[in-house]
Amino acid sequence: GENVEQHPSTLSVQEGDSAVIKCTYSDSASNYFPWYKQELGKRPQLIIDIRSNVGEKKDQRIAVTLNKTAKHFSLHITETQPEDSAVYFCAATTGNQFYFGTGTSLTVIP
Amino acid sequence: ETGVTQTPRHLVMGMTNKKSLKCEQHLGHNAMYWYKQSAKKPLELMFVYSLEERVENNSVPSRFSPECPNSSHLFLHLHTLQPEDSALYLCASRPDRAGGNSPLHFGNGTRLTVT
């Protein structure tokens, strides 16, 4: 089955700096890659996603890049704010099964 | 309002108890999921139902028993659990349509503690 690895497990940045979280996957058939943000005590919420026919997608301060050849995808957050502090999960799927990374705990220091 | 509602939010049960977790979605989706979230581990898929038929069962112990009476409701029946089953149990739904991928929508979860 699919194996998704996520790095780093923890990340601290100064407010205003950029944050990058990286994921790799093993199944070349995976074709959809969502990213979720989970604040403490809350549910995971979709923040951005990308399909395998696209190399990059941007939504305001958040962007995701996908390299199908290398089987890795990354989340980029620019101009970070304290409210960006949360745990971020990447996922990969070919259909019904969603495989998640272990999460990155992001802390934005004011 | 999340669109996916889970009850109860918190549950403490002994190892000999029987309890059930409930999930309801108001999004018109036709696929529903149970995930287990433990500290330092990836979200673990337990069960997937599509159009009320179970399509995935990820080698989950028989002390966890799912039930999907219709496309809006999903239950997880629990009996003779172990302390290591303590975790956050998340329900999710998505529109399972051919030819396209769509994200999971999660509920707020049930925090289960087995004593």
Side-chain angles (χ1 to χ4, degrees), chain A residues 4 31-32 34 36 38 41-46 49 51 89 93-103, chain B residues 2 9 33 35 37 40-43 45 48 50 55-56 58 88 90 94 96 101-104 106-108:
Chain A
V4 177
N31 57 6
Y32 177 62
Y36 288 84
Q38 187 175 27
K42 296 189 176 181
R43 64 189 174 97
Q45 288 189 276
L46 178 75
D49 56 9
R51 290 172 174 79
F89 295 94
T93 181
T94 58
N96 267 327
Q97 286 225 40
F98 283 67
Y99 297 89
F100 285 85
T102 49
Chain B
T2 70
R9 290 297 307 274
Y33 298 70
Y35 276 90
Q37 186 175 32
K40 310 293 184 186
K41 289 186 177 181
L43 285 158
L45 176 65
V48 180
S50 179
V55 295
E56 299 286 351
N58 260 22
L88 181 68
L90 289 162
R94 62 186 280 269
D96 186 10
N101 286 304
S102 53
L104 296 170
F106 286 93
N108 285 318

Side-chain angles (χ1 to χ4, degrees), chain B residues 52-115:
Chain B
E52 302 152 42
E53 295 290 325
R54 187 190 303 179
V55 295
E56 299 286 351
N57 174 358
N58 260 22
S59 302
V60 179
S62 59
R63 57 185 184 269
F64 295 92
S65 174
E67 178 189 0
C68 187
N70 55 62
S71 59
S72 298
H73 294 86
L74 184 66
F75 295 89
L76 188 63
H77 304 298
L78 316 171
H79 66 96
T80 58
L81 294 192
Q82 304 298 312
E84 59 265 29
D85 296 323
S86 299
L88 181 68
Y89 288 84
L90 289 162
C91 174
S93 70
R94 62 186 280 269
D96 186 10
R97 48 179 180 247
N101 286 304
S102 53
L104 296 170
H105 295 253
F106 286 93
N108 285 318
T110 294
R111 173 67 62 185
L112 174 67
T113 303
V114 181
T115 61

Side-chain angles (χ1 to χ4, degrees), chain A residues 6-60:
Chain A
Q6 183 172 347
H7 300 281
S9 57
T10 59
L11 179 60
S12 292
V13 299
Q14 292 288 334
E15 182 177 358
D17 288 350
S18 295
V20 180
I21 302 170
K22 298 182 179 181
C23 288
T24 61
Y25 61 100
S26 59
D27 189 348
S28 57
S30 289
N31 57 6
Y32 177 62
F33 308 90
W35 284 89
Y36 288 84
K37 174 183 179 183
Q38 187 175 27
E39 296 177 62
L40 191 62
K42 296 189 176 181
R43 64 189 174 97
Q45 288 189 276
L46 178 75
I47 55 171
I48 196 166
D49 56 9
I50 191 167
R51 290 172 174 79
S52 58
N53 59 349
V54 176
E56 184 174 357
K57 183 177 178 180
K58 189 173 181 181
D59 182 3
Q60 299 183 347

